[in-house]
Amino acid sequence: MNKHLTILTGGSRGMGLAMGQQLLAQGYHVLSIARNSSSALQSSASKPEQLLQWEQDLAQSAAAAQRLSAWLATLKSSGWASITLINNAGVIPQIAALSQVSAADMINALRVGLEAPMALTSAFLAATQSWSIPRKVLNISSGLGRRAMASQAAYCTTKAGMDQFSSCVALEEAAKPNGARIVSLAPGVIDTDMQVQLRSAAATDFPDVARFAGLHTNGQLTSTNDAAARVLAWLDRADFGEQVIADVRQP
């Protein structure tokens, strides 16, 4: 059996869309979970059964996890050569000091960026724990999870939390006979809508705005396609999971 299945969150735009398109081009089967479906992603599938798109608000993490668990229960492990979960989705709340960010905006960012990945990972691991095929979890982290930045408290916290929960789960899975391998990977600085938000912020709200504007001006941003290729190449490494907290810019 040579069919490979990847479950991908945030596959409707940005690097998530690019990863989905590249996986489909390689013949992978993809379940994309995002707020909206993507016609660009759909057109990349060579056959209808290769792609399934769920329109799912990941801020409703319990519902998303329950839906994933129920769907995985309908599959047979014998039908697949491998299964992978990529937690890619994330949002940036208002770019401002925490005291100026509404509770609703902050909570939404935490739910999408940390609560949903934890809930989906739990559902994924529980539903596939008896599967003998290779299982991987790739969490898309950020350098901002490893470096504090003013006016980015919620986003930095989601990514730092993603790193830490990945480390905890890695210890749990290492103790199992066929435990999943997990990595929390920083993908570098990418030319996405998030970067536009950061470099467009007012200096009074975001002290580091000049730095992010400079990344764009100096051509230091990686395209979404190149970033996706680097992330997927990391996922294919033979030593995937040996280093849980990683960065694509490492050798």
Side-chain angles (χ1 to χ4, degrees):
M1 182 59 62
N2 58 6
K3 291 197 304 180
H4 298 269
L5 174 61
T6 300
I7 301 156
L8 170 68
T9 69
S12 63
R13 61 180 185 171
M15 188 180 74
L17 172 59
M19 284 194 290
Q21 291 175 317
Q22 291 177 27
L23 286 165
L24 291 169
Q26 295 171 30
Y28 281 65
H29 288 245
V30 174
L31 165 60
S32 174
I33 307 175
R35 183 181 287 273
N36 299 300
S37 296
S38 166
S39 58
L41 187 60
Q42 190 65 56
S43 65
S44 299
S46 60
K47 45 192 176 183
E49 63 270 24
Q50 193 185 5
L51 173 66
L52 177 60
Q53 296 194 73
W54 287 354
E55 293 188 350
Q56 178 74 52
D57 182 1
L58 288 169
Q60 305 300 319
S61 59
Q66 184 176 29
R67 187 177 183 183
L68 179 61
S69 181
W71 182 74
L72 287 170
T74 69
L75 304 182
K76 294 182 178 180
S77 63
S78 59
W80 304 98
S82 71
I83 185 168
T84 299
L85 170 64
I86 303 178
N87 285 306
N88 165 73
V91 296
I92 289 186
Q94 177 188 355
I95 301 173
L98 186 64
S99 60
Q100 303 303 311
V101 178
S102 71
D105 202 16
M106 175 188 67
I107 290 167
N108 182 68
L110 292 170
R111 284 180 172 170
V112 175
L114 181 56
E115 187 178 283
M118 292 186 74
L120 291 173
T121 299
S122 175
F124 173 82
L125 294 175
T128 63
Q129 60 185 336
S130 64
W131 293 24
S132 59
I133 63 174
R135 297 178 300 141
K136 298 179 182 178
V137 177
L138 175 60
N139 289 325
I140 303 301
S141 185
S142 170
L144 291 185
R146 302 159 196 177
R147 171 176 176 250
M149 182 171 288
S151 301
Q152 286 294 295
Y155 187 78
C156 289
T157 297
T158 64
K159 296 307 184 182
M162 181 171 275
D163 284 351
Q164 187 70 346
F165 107 73
S166 299
S167 295
C168 293
V169 173
L171 293 173
E172 296 164 1
E173 292 298 305
K176 299 176 182 178
N178 186 43
R181 288 180 284 167
I182 183 167
V183 168
S184 189
L185 182 68
V189 286
I190 308 166
D191 194 7
T192 62
D193 291 344
M194 185 185 90
Q195 287 289 329
V196 175
Q197 287 178 265
L198 292 170
R199 64 176 177 264
S200 301
T204 52
D205 293 327
F206 186 36
D208 286 283
V209 64
R211 172 174 173 265
F212 283 87
L215 291 173
H216 179 256
T217 301
N218 298 326
Q220 293 175 269
L221 298 177
T222 305
S223 71
T224 53
N225 284 331
D226 286 348
R230 292 168 72 181
V231 167
L232 295 179
W234 194 282
L235 185 63
D236 286 339
R237 287 171 59 137
D239 63 350
F240 181 88
E242 291 182 11
Q243 181 180 354
V244 179
I245 309 303
D247 190 307
V248 294
R249 292 162 287 195
Q250 299 170 215

